[in-house]
Amino acid sequence: MFIRYGYEMSFTFPQATPVVALLDIHRERAKDILDEEPFKARPFASGFTGIDFFGNRYRHFVAPQGQVTISASGVIEDIGCGDAVNCDARETPLSDLPPEALFYLTGSRYCETDKLGQMAWDLFGKGPSGWARVQAICDFVHDRLSFGYEHARNTRTAAETHFERKGVCRDFAHLAITLCRAMNIPARYVNGYLGDIGVPPDPAPMDFSAWFEACLDGHWYTFDARHNVPRIGRIVVARGRDAADVPLINSFGAHEITRFKIVAEEVASPMLDLTELSPQPIEIPVGLRAAF
C-alpha cells in the first residue's frame, strides 16, 4: 500500500533564531520512500542535517526574522499490516540486556520511575510477565485515562498524568513507559505519522501521534496505550527516552506557531501530487501544539 504524508508549519520569529527540527522520516524507512518533495523553508533558511544521539535525522537551520513556513511531503510504501504481536515474547534478564537497552530503564524528564515504581509493582508484580505484562500495562493506562486534545499540556509528567487521569497521546505513552521501566522492561518513546487507515475515521483526527516500544526477547515491539489495538501504517519519525528528546521543533529563542497542517492517508498511486498537501487538510489549533 502507499501512504501520502506531509506537513506545513508557519512560525513568527521576533529575530533570527537557530532551530533544530526532527520532522524527517526515520532513516530506517528511507528505502520505502517512493516520491518526495523535500524539506523547504520560505523564505529560504540555510542549514545542515545530521543524526542525533538516538539515531534520528535532524535539521538545523537559522530562521530569519518574521514569518517562516516549512514544509515537506512524500509517498511511502508500507506493507499494510498491523503492528506485530508476539504473545510468547519474554522479558530479558537485566544481566543479558545490551547496554543500549539498559539506557531505557532509567527515569527521564517526563517518566518518573521513582514516583510510580512501587505502584507498578503493586499492580503488575504478581501477574504474568513478558508480552502479557506490557499489554496489561497498556490496558491499565488505556482504561484509566481520558483522551482529549483539550487536555494537552506540554509540562505534564507521567505521575501527573496518572493522578489527573487525562491527557493526549504523549501522556498515554509516558505513563506506560514509566510503568514498564519500573517493572525492569526497557521502553522508549516514539513519534510519527499515524493516519486513520483500516479503522473508522476519528471524529477528532490527528495524523501525527506518539506511542512506545518495549524490548522483549531482544526485540523492540510497538505498543500504543492510547489506541490499544494494532494499527496499520505507522511511519516512525523519531525515538527517544521521552518527548523531551524528540520535539518536532526546538527553537533557541522565542517563536509563535501560527499554522500547522499535517496529513497521513492511503493513496492509490506511488506518485506524489504536489498541488495540495491534502484534499481536506487537517488544521491543528495552535493551542494544541503541546500534544506533539
Side-chain angles (χ1 to χ4, degrees), residues 149-160:
Y149 296 124
E150 69 277 12
H151 303 322
R153 189 176 78 239
N154 62 2
T155 60
R156 183 183 288 117
T157 67
E160 291 170 340

Side-chain angles (χ1 to χ4, degrees), residues 147 149 196 199-207 226-227 282-284:
F147 178 88
Y149 296 124
D196 293 330
V199 297
D202 193 322
M206 168 61 75
D207 287 352
R226 185 231 159 157
H227 297 102
I282 298 168
E283 295 283 357
I284 307 302

Side-chain angles (χ1 to χ4, degrees), residues 19-81:
V19 174
V20 174
L22 288 104
L23 293 165
D24 288 72
I25 301 300
H26 197 277
R27 55 182 178 164
E28 70 183 13
R29 295 296 304 272
K31 66 182 184 303
D32 300 324
I33 297 174
L34 303 178
D35 197 5
E36 186 175 33
E37 176 71 3
F39 175 87
K40 181 187 299 183
R42 304 184 298 276
F44 175 78
S46 63
F48 58 88
T49 62
I51 304 298
D52 70 9
F53 175 81
F54 300 97
N56 306 310
R57 299 167 63 190
Y58 70 86
R59 293 181 179 273
H60 182 284
F61 61 94
V62 178
Q65 182 181 14
Q67 180 165 302
V68 177
T69 297
I70 60 175
S71 62
S73 55
V75 174
I76 193 168
E77 187 171 18
D78 192 83
I79 60 174
C81 296

Side-chain angles (χ1 to χ4, degrees), residues 15-260:
Q15 60 188 17
T17 304
V19 174
V20 174
L22 288 104
L23 293 165
D24 288 72
I25 301 300
H26 197 277
R27 55 182 178 164
E28 70 183 13
R29 295 296 304 272
K31 66 182 184 303
D32 300 324
I33 297 174
L34 303 178
D35 197 5
E36 186 175 33
E37 176 71 3
F39 175 87
K40 181 187 299 183
R42 304 184 298 276
F44 175 78
S46 63
F48 58 88
T49 62
I51 304 298
D52 70 9
F53 175 81
F54 300 97
N56 306 310
R57 299 167 63 190
Y58 70 86
R59 293 181 179 273
H60 182 284
F61 61 94
V62 178
Q65 182 181 14
Q67 180 165 302
V68 177
T69 297
I70 60 175
S71 62
S73 55
V75 174
I76 193 168
E77 187 171 18
D78 192 83
I79 60 174
C81 296
D83 303 322
V85 176
N86 182 2
C87 297
D88 296 324
R90 301 165 299 176
E91 294 174 27
T92 302
L94 294 182
S95 58
D96 296 334
L97 284 172
E100 61 270 20
L102 287 170
F103 181 68
Y104 293 103
L105 281 174
T106 57
S108 54
R109 165 69 177 86
Y110 292 106
C111 301
E112 318 105 309
T113 51
D114 56 334
K115 292 184 178 180
L116 297 180
Q118 186 58 57
M119 183 194 77
W121 279 97
D122 291 343
L123 288 171
F124 309 108
K126 297 181 180 178
S129 62
W131 183 280
R133 176 172 281 158
V134 180
Q135 185 56 58
I137 288 172
C138 287
D139 293 342
F140 171 81
V141 173
H142 181 79
D143 293 341
R144 181 172 180 81
L145 303 186
S146 173
F147 178 88
Y149 296 124
E150 69 277 12
H151 303 322
R153 189 176 78 239
N154 62 2
T155 60
R156 183 183 288 117
T157 67
E160 291 170 340
T161 297
H162 172 72
F163 292 112
E164 294 176 19
R165 304 191 66 165
K166 62 184 179 182
V168 291
C169 55
R170 61 179 265 162
D171 301 308
F172 281 67
H174 284 152
L175 181 54
I177 287 169
T178 304
L179 296 176
C180 283
R181 291 178 184 172
M183 300 305 299
N184 297 327
I185 300 172
R188 62 190 184 187
Y189 183 91
V190 188
N191 65 21
Y193 292 94
L194 180 62
D196 293 330
I197 299 174
V199 297
D202 193 322
M206 168 61 75
D207 287 352
F208 203 89
S209 189
W211 57 91
F212 75 101
E213 294 172 344
C215 186
L216 299 169
D217 267 341
H219 182 82
W220 289 99
Y221 288 98
T222 295
F223 290 89
D224 187 337
R226 185 231 159 157
H227 297 102
N228 208 25
V229 293
R231 292 291 295 267
I232 296 171
R234 294 185 197 271
I235 306 174
V236 172
V237 169
R239 297 184 175 94
R241 293 168 298 176
D242 58 31
D245 291 328
V246 291
L248 296 186
I249 294 290
N250 190 9
S251 70
F252 297 85
H255 76 267
E256 179 184 358
I257 184 169
T258 58
R259 180 175 174 81
F260 189 109

